[in-house]
Amino acid sequence: MKSFLQKLDGKLLLLVVLPMLPALVLVFYADFERRNLGAAQIKQEAVQAAELGAAGQEAMIEGIRQLQASLAQLPQYRGTNWAMYQMHFANLLRLYPYYANYGLLDADGGVLVSAQSYRQPVKPCLYFGYPLLDANGAVFRVLFAALHAEAINRAVQRVVLPPEAVLTVLDRNGRILAQTPAMAKAGEEFGLEIEEFQAMRDRGRGTLEKIGSDKRRKLYAFAPVGAGSTVGTYIVVGIPKETAYAAANLILMRNLFLISVMFVLALWAARRYARQVILQPVEALVRASKEITAGNLRARVGLPAGAGQLNQLGASFDDMAGTLQQRRAELEQAEAKFRILVEQSLVGIYVIQGDRFAYVNPKLAEIAGFTAQEMVGQPVLDFIASESKSQVRDNIQKRMDGTMRSAHYMLAMQRKGGGIVQAEVHGVRTEYDGRPAIIGTLLDITDRVRAEAEIHRLNAELEQRVIERTAQLEAANKELEAFSYSVSHDLRAPLRHINGYVEMLKEDAGPSLNAECLGYLDVLTNSTKQMGQLIDDLLAFSKMSRTGMKRQQMNFTEMVEDTRHKLATDTEGRNVVWKQGNLPVIEGDSAMFRQVWVNLLSNAVKYTRPRDPAEIEIGCMKETESEAVFFVRDNGVGFDMQYVQKLFGVFQRLHRANEFEGTGIGLAIVQRIILRHGGRIWVDAKLNEGATFYFSLPKLMSPQPE
């Protein structure tokens, strides 16, 4: 069965069966609902029958009670004429034959008189009593009547019952008084357990289910005859549950039969249709696919052309087989080309399986000094120099185990007949003929290794030369520093002498000298002062590359304001408009940057001297997380940008000394400080329109070497 369902025809038939399952579910669900409906209907009919039976019994009892009440009103029943009472009661028995006896009892229950001698009746009877009261309202006699159970039975037979229903009249103790149709004798136990009968008496009316004496599950509806303490009998109607399900069972069997017929017809039609339309084309597809799997790419399905999906699938399969046939031819051609490429490659190519060569190309055999036939099938380590065997063994094992996919390393290869070849190999894990393998390349790098060794030797010599040159440069710097100090000291002394003698000459011979001679002396004094300033600037410039930097947070806003105060004497009497924006805090050497701001702002003050008003602006043009760009802009005389390359050189000036004083070193110092802080400086200017100096600084200082 399992193998049949695994086949396509079994699966197709299963597709026919599956849609039938919802129909079966609906049939059984409808049967379940019909059963519930039938049970509810039977329950309702049983309750109605019990109520009708109880109503009939109550009507009969009410008639007896009214008869006794009428007799009780007669005065003669209060005397002692027992013969008359007996005759009267006998007439009542002849008039109402369903009575078994009639008579009077005293207050203690003793028989005073009766129509028949008082004894226990052979047949079951139902007794009714009616009290006779004296003038004080006390009971002094009781009028009684004994009713045959058959009378009760005839009364209940008039009740219309559902099919197979049984109506039973029970007394207070659960004994049968009457039953229709008669299933048991009067006086027998009904079959209820004491607890069940007690529950029925407590509830008064209702329903219960239990298995009857005939072993059939029944639904019982019960109702009391009378109310309260006057209840003496109970009406019980029992109906078999299967009666409620009879109609539902009949409909269920009919529906199951119809579904079975439809199922068989559907299976037959589906099998026939599937065989003609699906199975035969699929079998053709399977047959063709098996032939193609076996290597016969000429196999075709051969289904006739049509609009059906399987016909289209067969046509597509044939097209695929044709494409595969063409691709195989192309692959064979590509493989031939690849083989030629590998065979003619200038790089050694190999395939390793296990620990042996499965393939080597001619170039690898040439590098090793063997033929390809001599190397294939031989252990790889036989061709490896002893110092590289361990490394090669580990790399091969790791790739074969799958713990490492590829390897790239250098090794020493043993050539045939002696000699070592330095090689660079690269190999990756793959599959070759369905088994794990390593495919890779081998490059002869013997010449490169020799060249690298020579380069290492030359680099070592170069490093030694650099060390020697560095030592020489440090010595030269020390000599230069000593020379700078000597020059500063030795040059200042003559300048002081010249300046002193000029002053003495002015004091001693001044009145006798003409104006031209005095002018010569002034020129000489100014020249000595300029020479002294030049010496100071040169010393400051030389110290700038040797002085250590103290890193700290610099408040440029305060620094610029202090510089402006220092330049107040230079701007006294001039109309200078200062504009200053917010300047960020930067890390750097505070003393050095005070010199930067002094040089830049003093230049701006100096070169705006011809302007009224002079405008000088200081600000931050751009600020990022890593860098800030500052500027100093003025509306001074400016300069021609074609000479900008001279601006930051030592002793380079773009204006004549008689126009603007200076030594030509200030901007060189500015550039040196900014470069040492890892920044840069540039300028944008126009002749007679002013100049703007820009410089950038990193937020976190990274000093640049000189």
Side-chain angles (χ1 to χ4, degrees):
M1 181 65 180
K2 183 177 180 181
S3 59
F4 174 74
L5 291 177
Q6 290 177 346
K7 295 181 179 179
L8 181 59
D9 49 354
K11 294 178 180 179
L12 291 174
L13 294 179
L14 186 61
L15 288 177
V16 177
V17 173
L18 289 177
M20 305 295 290
L21 295 180
L24 287 174
V25 172
L26 288 175
V27 167
F28 284 110
Y29 177 75
D31 178 68
F32 175 75
E33 291 295 329
R34 280 191 292 270
R35 285 172 174 266
N36 289 339
L37 183 61
Q41 184 177 356
I42 289 298
K43 181 178 180 180
Q44 182 179 6
E45 291 178 355
V47 170
Q48 290 176 351
E51 294 289 347
L52 288 174
Q57 291 296 305
E58 288 176 358
M60 183 182 67
I61 293 171
E62 180 62 23
I64 296 172
R65 189 191 68 79
Q66 290 179 2
L67 176 61
Q68 287 182 320
S70 299
L71 294 175
Q73 300 301 320
L74 297 176
Q76 55 268 32
Y77 285 106
R78 297 179 180 274
T80 57
N81 191 353
W82 310 117
M84 182 190 69
Y85 296 159
Q86 186 177 16
M87 181 183 64
H88 190 217
F89 290 150
N91 291 333
L92 286 176
L93 289 182
R94 285 191 295 271
L95 183 62
Y96 302 105
Y98 47 83
Y99 284 105
N101 199 358
Y102 226 102
L104 280 174
L105 302 176
D106 59 17
D108 296 326
V111 179
L112 297 175
V113 65
S114 62
Q116 295 182 0
S117 60
Y118 185 78
R119 64 183 184 278
Q120 186 69 25
V122 178
K123 296 180 180 181
C125 293
L126 189 62
Y127 287 88
F128 298 90
Y130 194 88
L132 299 179
L133 305 179
D134 57 13
N136 296 323
V139 177
F140 76 101
R141 289 180 183 175
V142 175
L143 185 65
F144 76 90
L147 184 66
H148 284 298
E150 287 84 350
I152 300 174
N153 205 15
R154 285 194 299 269
V156 298
Q157 287 178 355
R158 291 192 292 269
V159 178
V160 179
L161 298 175
E164 297 191 61
V166 177
L167 187 147
T168 306
V169 182
L170 302 178
D171 63 8
R172 288 176 179 268
N173 299 316
R175 289 190 295 270
I176 298 174
L177 297 177
Q179 192 176 61
T180 181
M183 305 293 292
K185 295 180 180 180
E188 292 182 356
E189 297 290 337
F190 180 64
L192 289 175
E193 299 292 338
I194 295 175
E195 294 80 4
E196 293 173 337
F197 184 71
Q198 184 63 41
M200 186 186 78
R201 290 179 56 183
D202 293 341
R203 290 167 60 188
R205 52 174 41 84
T207 60
L208 61 86
E209 285 189 23
K210 66 169 297 182
I211 299 175
S213 58
D214 55 357
K215 307 304 182 183
R216 300 165 70 186
R217 177 164 289 278
K218 295 182 179 182
L219 173 69
Y220 293 97
F222 51 88
V225 178
S229 60
T230 63
V231 176
T233 57
Y234 295 88
I235 303 298
V236 180
V237 177
I239 303 177
K241 291 276 291 189
E242 59 197 36
T243 303
Y245 301 148
N249 291 337
L250 181 61
I251 295 174
L252 175 63
M253 296 304 295
R254 183 189 64 191
N255 290 340
L256 290 177
F257 174 75
L258 292 176
I259 289 178
S260 300
V261 172
M262 293 173 60
F263 177 69
V264 171
L265 292 176
L267 284 179
W268 178 81
R271 185 175 179 82
R272 185 175 181 84
Y273 177 80
R275 188 67 188 170
Q276 295 291 332
V277 179
I278 299 177
L279 293 179
Q280 290 180 355
V282 169
E283 289 173 353
L285 282 167
V286 171
R287 183 174 58 256
S289 63
K290 287 182 178 179
E291 292 185 17
I292 289 177
T293 303
N296 181 19
L297 295 182
R298 296 185 179 86
R300 298 293 183 268
V301 178
L303 293 177
Q309 293 176 334
L310 287 177
N311 296 84
Q312 294 177 3
L313 178 61
S316 299
F317 188 92
D318 291 343
D319 293 340
M320 179 190 68
T323 303
L324 286 175
Q325 188 175 4
Q326 181 181 356
R327 292 290 174 83
R328 171 184 277 185
E330 294 173 353
L331 183 61
E332 290 174 351
Q333 294 177 1
E335 185 178 354
K337 293 178 181 179
F338 179 73
R339 180 172 292 277
I340 293 173
L341 178 64
V342 171
E343 296 290 334
Q344 300 297 325
S345 175
L346 298 178
V347 177
I349 300 174
Y350 62 87
V351 177
I352 298 174
Q353 275 188 328
D355 61 347
R356 299 174 182 269
F357 282 117
Y359 170 81
V360 295
N361 72 336
K363 182 62 179 179
L364 180 57
E366 177 187 340
I367 293 172
F370 293 87
T371 64
Q373 291 76 13
E374 290 175 330
M375 296 184 70
V376 173
Q378 299 301 316
V380 176
L381 296 181
D382 289 354
F383 304 93
I384 305 300
S386 58
E387 62 266 25
S388 298
K389 286 183 182 292
S390 176
Q391 179 187 21
V392 173
R393 183 186 302 107
D394 291 343
N395 285 328
I396 291 176
Q397 187 63 40
K398 289 178 180 178
R399 281 174 289 175
M400 287 298 181
D401 294 343
T403 57
M404 182 172 66
R405 184 178 180 276
S406 63
H408 183 200
Y409 58 99
M410 312 296 180
L411 59 82
M413 194 171 186
Q414 185 72 49
R415 281 182 58 84
K416 184 178 181 180
I420 300 296
V421 176
Q422 299 296 328
E424 178 182 358
V425 295
H426 181 272
V428 297
R429 175 185 169 89
T430 184
E431 285 192 0
Y432 185 75
D433 289 339
R435 291 189 299 153
I438 301 171
I439 184 171
T441 58
L442 184 145
L443 181 64
D444 185 353
I445 59 170
T446 303
D447 294 338
R448 190 180 81 186
V449 170
R450 291 171 182 168
E452 288 176 351
E454 181 66 17
I455 290 173
H456 288 316
R457 185 185 65 79
L458 294 175
N459 284 339
E461 292 181 358
L462 181 60
E463 289 178 1
Q464 183 62 35
R465 290 179 184 178
V466 169
I467 293 172
E468 294 173 357
R469 295 291 174 86
T470 301
Q472 295 173 1
L473 183 60
E474 289 177 352
N477 284 335
K478 291 180 180 179
E479 292 177 0
L480 180 60
E481 184 176 357
F483 175 75
S484 298
Y485 177 79
S486 176
V487 167
S488 171
H489 183 271
D490 294 344
L491 288 180
R492 287 181 189 277
L495 289 177
R496 284 194 300 271
H497 293 161
I498 294 171
N499 195 37
Y501 284 121
V502 168
E503 291 298 327
M504 292 171 60
L505 185 59
K506 282 184 179 181
E507 292 178 1
D508 296 341
S512 62
L513 295 176
N514 57 27
E516 185 176 2
C517 290
L518 290 174
Y520 292 154
L521 292 177
D522 290 338
V523 170
L524 187 59
T525 300
N526 292 334
S527 296
T528 57
K529 290 181 179 180
Q530 186 176 5
M531 186 65 181
Q533 183 64 44
L534 183 61
I535 291 171
D536 291 340
D537 290 346
L538 278 173
L539 289 175
F541 181 76
S542 65
K543 288 180 180 179
M544 200 56 63
S545 61
R546 300 192 304 273
T547 304
M549 292 191 298
K550 298 179 180 179
R551 300 182 182 183
Q552 59 184 358
Q553 296 294 319
M554 302 183 297
N555 190 330
F556 276 178
T557 301
E558 295 180 358
M559 200 176 290
V560 169
E561 290 177 354
D562 292 343
T563 304
R564 286 172 54 187
H565 289 309
K566 291 178 182 179
L567 296 175
T569 56
D570 295 338
T571 60
E572 186 176 358
R574 292 180 54 190
N575 184 12
V576 179
V577 179
W578 294 91
K579 298 179 182 178
Q580 181 176 340
N582 292 326
L583 303 177
V585 175
I586 298 294
E587 185 182 89
D589 189 295
S590 179
M592 289 185 179
F593 265 93
R594 287 186 183 277
Q595 186 65 46
V596 169
W597 287 113
V598 167
N599 290 0
L600 290 177
L601 295 183
S602 62
N603 272 1
V605 169
K606 177 170 59 177
Y607 290 110
T608 58
R609 196 178 297 152
R611 300 290 185 258
D612 187 14
E615 296 180 357
I616 302 174
E617 183 180 359
I618 306 102
C620 180
M621 183 179 69
K622 183 179 70 174
E623 181 180 4
T624 64
E625 293 183 358
S626 59
E627 185 184 55
V629 179
F630 303 90
F631 68 90
V632 177
R633 182 180 293 114
D634 64 65
N635 64 340
V637 297
F639 60 87
D640 193 338
M641 286 293 289
Q642 66 177 325
Y643 303 113
V644 70
Q645 68 274 9
K646 297 181 179 181
L647 193 63
F648 298 103
V650 180
F651 304 133
Q652 298 293 326
R653 305 192 72 242
L654 302 182
H655 300 86
R656 291 190 298 273
N658 59 355
E659 293 179 335
F660 300 100
E661 68 280 2
T663 60
I665 296 179
L667 289 179
I669 293 175
V670 169
Q671 185 186 48
R672 178 65 59 86
I673 292 172
I674 291 174
L675 290 177
R676 288 194 67 185
H677 282 76
R680 56 194 179 93
I681 184 169
W682 67 99
V683 65
D684 183 22
K686 288 186 179 180
L687 189 61
N688 296 322
E689 293 186 12
T692 303
F693 285 84
Y694 301 93
F695 65 92
S696 66
L697 292 173
K699 289 291 187 68
L700 296 177
M701 189 179 70
S702 177
Q704 301 296 317
E706 293 296 333

